[in-house]
PDB file of all heavy atoms in Angstrom:
ATOM      1  N   ASP A 116       8.655   7.715  -0.874  1.00  0.00           N
ATOM      2  CA  ASP A 116       9.098   9.122  -0.897  1.00  0.00           C
ATOM      3  C   ASP A 116      10.496   9.183  -0.262  1.00  0.00           C
ATOM      4  O   ASP A 116      10.724   8.893   0.884  1.00  0.00           O
ATOM      5  CB  ASP A 116       8.116  10.000  -0.071  1.00  0.00           C
ATOM      6  CG  ASP A 116       8.558  11.502  -0.104  1.00  0.00           C
ATOM      7  OD1 ASP A 116       9.262  11.889  -1.019  1.00  0.00           O
ATOM      8  OD2 ASP A 116       8.202  12.203   0.828  1.00  0.00           O
ATOM      9  N   GLU A 117      11.451   9.524  -1.073  1.00  0.00           N
ATOM     10  CA  GLU A 117      12.862   9.728  -0.620  1.00  0.00           C
ATOM     11  C   GLU A 117      13.244  11.157  -0.866  1.00  0.00           C
ATOM     12  O   GLU A 117      13.235  11.621  -1.972  1.00  0.00           O
ATOM     13  CB  GLU A 117      13.780   8.739  -1.392  1.00  0.00           C
ATOM     14  CG  GLU A 117      15.178   8.687  -0.761  1.00  0.00           C
ATOM     15  CD  GLU A 117      15.992   7.498  -1.280  1.00  0.00           C
ATOM     16  OE1 GLU A 117      15.527   6.741  -2.137  1.00  0.00           O
ATOM     17  OE2 GLU A 117      17.098   7.379  -0.841  1.00  0.00           O
ATOM     18  N   ASP A 118      13.545  11.805   0.248  1.00  0.00           N
ATOM     19  CA  ASP A 118      13.853  13.272   0.158  1.00  0.00           C
ATOM     20  C   ASP A 118      15.063  13.511   1.137  1.00  0.00           C
ATOM     21  O   ASP A 118      14.993  13.216   2.326  1.00  0.00           O
ATOM     22  CB  ASP A 118      12.658  14.073   0.589  1.00  0.00           C
ATOM     23  CG  ASP A 118      12.877  15.569   0.422  1.00  0.00           C
ATOM     24  OD1 ASP A 118      13.603  15.951  -0.510  1.00  0.00           O
ATOM     25  OD2 ASP A 118      12.299  16.309   1.264  1.00  0.00           O
ATOM     26  N   GLU A 119      16.120  14.079   0.537  1.00  0.00           N
ATOM     27  CA  GLU A 119      17.313  14.346   1.343  1.00  0.00           C
ATOM     28  C   GLU A 119      17.913  13.217   2.131  1.00  0.00           C
ATOM     29  O   GLU A 119      18.242  13.385   3.315  1.00  0.00           O
ATOM     30  CB  GLU A 119      17.078  15.624   2.194  1.00  0.00           C
ATOM     31  CG  GLU A 119      16.747  16.893   1.417  1.00  0.00           C
ATOM     32  CD  GLU A 119      16.572  18.096   2.284  1.00  0.00           C
ATOM     33  OE1 GLU A 119      16.842  18.040   3.499  1.00  0.00           O
ATOM     34  OE2 GLU A 119      16.099  19.118   1.740  1.00  0.00           O
ATOM     35  N   GLY A 120      17.839  12.039   1.524  1.00  0.00           N
ATOM     36  CA  GLY A 120      18.350  10.889   2.219  1.00  0.00           C
ATOM     37  C   GLY A 120      17.372  10.182   3.204  1.00  0.00           C
ATOM     38  O   GLY A 120      17.710   9.165   3.749  1.00  0.00           O
ATOM     39  N   GLU A 121      16.200  10.814   3.430  1.00  0.00           N
ATOM     40  CA  GLU A 121      15.195  10.271   4.356  1.00  0.00           C
ATOM     41  C   GLU A 121      14.201   9.482   3.481  1.00  0.00           C
ATOM     42  O   GLU A 121      13.654   9.979   2.505  1.00  0.00           O
ATOM     43  CB  GLU A 121      14.511  11.350   5.084  1.00  0.00           C
ATOM     44  CG  GLU A 121      15.451  12.264   5.903  1.00  0.00           C
ATOM     45  CD  GLU A 121      15.348  11.951   7.356  1.00  0.00           C
ATOM     46  OE1 GLU A 121      14.343  11.363   7.775  1.00  0.00           O
ATOM     47  OE2 GLU A 121      16.328  12.274   8.053  1.00  0.00           O
ATOM     48  N   LEU A 122      13.859   8.261   3.969  1.00  0.00           N
ATOM     49  CA  LEU A 122      12.942   7.425   3.225  1.00  0.00           C
ATOM     50  C   LEU A 122      11.654   7.264   4.021  1.00  0.00           C
ATOM     51  O   LEU A 122      11.699   6.973   5.214  1.00  0.00           O
ATOM     52  CB  LEU A 122      13.565   6.017   2.946  1.00  0.00           C
ATOM     53  CG  LEU A 122      12.728   5.011   2.183  1.00  0.00           C
ATOM     54  CD1 LEU A 122      12.309   5.525   0.804  1.00  0.00           C
ATOM     55  CD2 LEU A 122      13.521   3.726   2.067  1.00  0.00           C
ATOM     56  N   SER A 123      10.525   7.387   3.337  1.00  0.00           N
ATOM     57  CA  SER A 123       9.227   7.145   4.000  1.00  0.00           C
ATOM     58  C   SER A 123       8.209   6.630   2.994  1.00  0.00           C
ATOM     59  O   SER A 123       8.515   6.696   1.777  1.00  0.00           O
ATOM     60  CB  SER A 123       8.683   8.464   4.664  1.00  0.00           C
ATOM     61  OG  SER A 123       8.415   9.430   3.692  1.00  0.00           O
ATOM     62  N   TRP A 124       7.086   6.175   3.402  1.00  0.00           N
ATOM     63  CA  TRP A 124       6.040   5.729   2.577  1.00  0.00           C
ATOM     64  C   TRP A 124       4.725   6.373   2.961  1.00  0.00           C
ATOM     65  O   TRP A 124       4.498   6.594   4.166  1.00  0.00           O
ATOM     66  CB  TRP A 124       5.920   4.202   2.631  1.00  0.00           C
ATOM     67  CG  TRP A 124       7.150   3.499   2.159  1.00  0.00           C
ATOM     68  CD1 TRP A 124       7.476   3.109   0.921  1.00  0.00           C
ATOM     69  CD2 TRP A 124       8.263   3.119   3.002  1.00  0.00           C
ATOM     70  NE1 TRP A 124       8.721   2.497   0.911  1.00  0.00           N
ATOM     71  CE2 TRP A 124       9.196   2.491   2.197  1.00  0.00           C
ATOM     72  CE3 TRP A 124       8.543   3.256   4.356  1.00  0.00           C
ATOM     73  CZ2 TRP A 124      10.411   1.982   2.687  1.00  0.00           C
ATOM     74  CZ3 TRP A 124       9.756   2.877   4.895  1.00  0.00           C
ATOM     75  CH2 TRP A 124      10.679   2.193   4.011  1.00  0.00           C
ATOM     76  N   ASN A 125       3.927   6.687   1.997  1.00  0.00           N
ATOM     77  CA  ASN A 125       2.591   7.292   2.269  1.00  0.00           C
ATOM     78  C   ASN A 125       1.519   6.381   1.724  1.00  0.00           C
ATOM     79  O   ASN A 125       1.513   5.963   0.543  1.00  0.00           O
ATOM     80  CB  ASN A 125       2.435   8.681   1.623  1.00  0.00           C
ATOM     81  CG  ASN A 125       3.518   9.593   2.159  1.00  0.00           C
ATOM     82  OD1 ASN A 125       3.509   9.940   3.321  1.00  0.00           O
ATOM     83  ND2 ASN A 125       4.359  10.042   1.270  1.00  0.00           N
ATOM     84  N   PHE A 126       0.572   6.051   2.591  1.00  0.00           N
ATOM     85  CA  PHE A 126      -0.563   5.189   2.174  1.00  0.00           C
ATOM     86  C   PHE A 126      -1.747   6.072   1.931  1.00  0.00           C
ATOM     87  O   PHE A 126      -2.167   6.818   2.839  1.00  0.00           O
ATOM     88  CB  PHE A 126      -0.825   4.190   3.242  1.00  0.00           C
ATOM     89  CG  PHE A 126      -2.033   3.254   2.957  1.00  0.00           C
ATOM     90  CD1 PHE A 126      -2.139   2.498   1.836  1.00  0.00           C
ATOM     91  CD2 PHE A 126      -3.123   3.219   3.858  1.00  0.00           C
ATOM     92  CE1 PHE A 126      -3.248   1.734   1.576  1.00  0.00           C
ATOM     93  CE2 PHE A 126      -4.244   2.442   3.615  1.00  0.00           C
ATOM     94  CZ  PHE A 126      -4.268   1.659   2.502  1.00  0.00           C
ATOM     95  N   THR A 127      -2.396   5.965   0.754  1.00  0.00           N
ATOM     96  CA  THR A 127      -3.577   6.744   0.402  1.00  0.00           C
ATOM     97  C   THR A 127      -4.725   5.806   0.100  1.00  0.00           C
ATOM     98  O   THR A 127      -4.591   4.879  -0.729  1.00  0.00           O
ATOM     99  CB  THR A 127      -3.271   7.653  -0.802  1.00  0.00           C
ATOM    100  OG1 THR A 127      -2.153   8.468  -0.515  1.00  0.00           O
ATOM    101  CG2 THR A 127      -4.483   8.488  -1.135  1.00  0.00           C
TER     102      THR A 127
END
Side-chain angles (χ1 to χ4, degrees):
D116 182 24
E117 191 166 359
D118 185 33
E119 296 181 10
E121 302 256 339
L122 180 59
S123 64
W124 298 269
N125 299 298
F126 176 59
T127 303

